[in-house]
Amino acid sequence: MIEAWPFDPFVIPSPQVLRVGAYPLHGAPVFHVDPDHYHAELMLKRALLAADHSYYVQAYPESLPAQWELLEWGLAELHRSYPDWFVLRQRGAELEWENRLTNQVSTIRIGDDLGLLPIDRLGRQVQEDLLLMAVDEASGHPLIAGQLCFPNRWCLSDKMGLPLAAIHGPVPGFIAQLARSIDQLISRLQPQRPVWRRNWSLAVLPDLDLSPRLGPLDRQKSTVTADNAGERVFYRVERQTLVRMARHPVVLFTVRTYVAPLAQLTSNPQWTAAMAQLLRQLDPAILDYKGITPYLRSLLEHLDRRLYGLVS
């Protein structure tokens, strides 16, 4: 799956993990459509939504006008970025939508009952998770709507309505080191000037959906050894974008998740050395938060063996 990532998977973040690290998109697509995995990931989304819709989609009623703008903007963005795959024709309040990857054609009238929330309708066209935040400095930019199918150990019901600082409160050092910068980024973001950033983690399952409903992963972590870490540990990276809507004071936060077994990346000695160094330099509190501590020793031994050619 590495070849499908829209950024270099061998770029390792610095030990200063608590940095905003946001960069302008400069016209690059907000959504990354990967046709090799598009159908499988959309089918997985739909299966999760069918199994427990209210777990993966939540929204406050007052967010509905902003959701409609989001849907209109999102379909136009897909058409702009991938005109061979997505076609949007707009006639006033009526949207004619064609998804050529799924062979679906539909007509959407803005404001009509879709049977789905607008954010849910858009989320079924893309591989990203979609989160909508109110731009409200006094309230700390709360989360007001979301379709979250592929989370990394969190869920909407725990975060809805919370300000950004509270949402990220469990992250060690976030309040002291990053909260103000994030608030300023949200407040100052301009329409037509989206930004992107990446966030990395390690996991002991390859699943895109790592919801808390799966339960603790202690058993899987206990099976990681220096011999099998290449197959049992997975490098998980999120490509995140932030987009300010033009008509409503909201920001769309997208999260596209990519997963690869460690063995696919440790063939690169520079990456292996950088990852080993990063893990040794990270604050123990960050390692705990990311869930790496229980298998850290085995992981480092595995990386050292790869680096020095002690394993194939």
Side-chain angles (χ1 to χ4, degrees), residues 101-161:
L101 292 177
T102 59
N103 296 315
Q104 293 177 321
V105 178
S106 58
T107 299
I108 301 167
R109 187 166 183 83
I110 296 173
D112 281 1
D113 183 3
L114 298 175
L116 299 171
L117 290 170
I119 195 171
D120 192 14
R121 181 67 178 265
L122 178 61
R124 293 168 188 252
Q125 304 296 313
V126 298
Q127 292 160 269
E128 281 81 359
D129 286 318
L130 307 179
L131 303 163
L132 200 62
M133 299 172 294
V135 179
D136 183 348
E137 287 192 59
S139 300
H141 311 305
L143 176 62
I144 59 173
Q147 187 208 67
L148 182 71
C149 293
F150 304 145
N152 190 7
R153 309 304 295 168
W154 69 284
C155 63
L156 285 173
S157 59
D158 290 341
K159 306 295 185 180
M160 283 295 294

Side-chain angles (χ1 to χ4, degrees), residues 69 191-192 244-250:
E69 180 184 2
Q192 310 304 321
R244 172 73 183 256
M245 295 293 104
R247 301 195 303 269
H248 293 87
V250 295

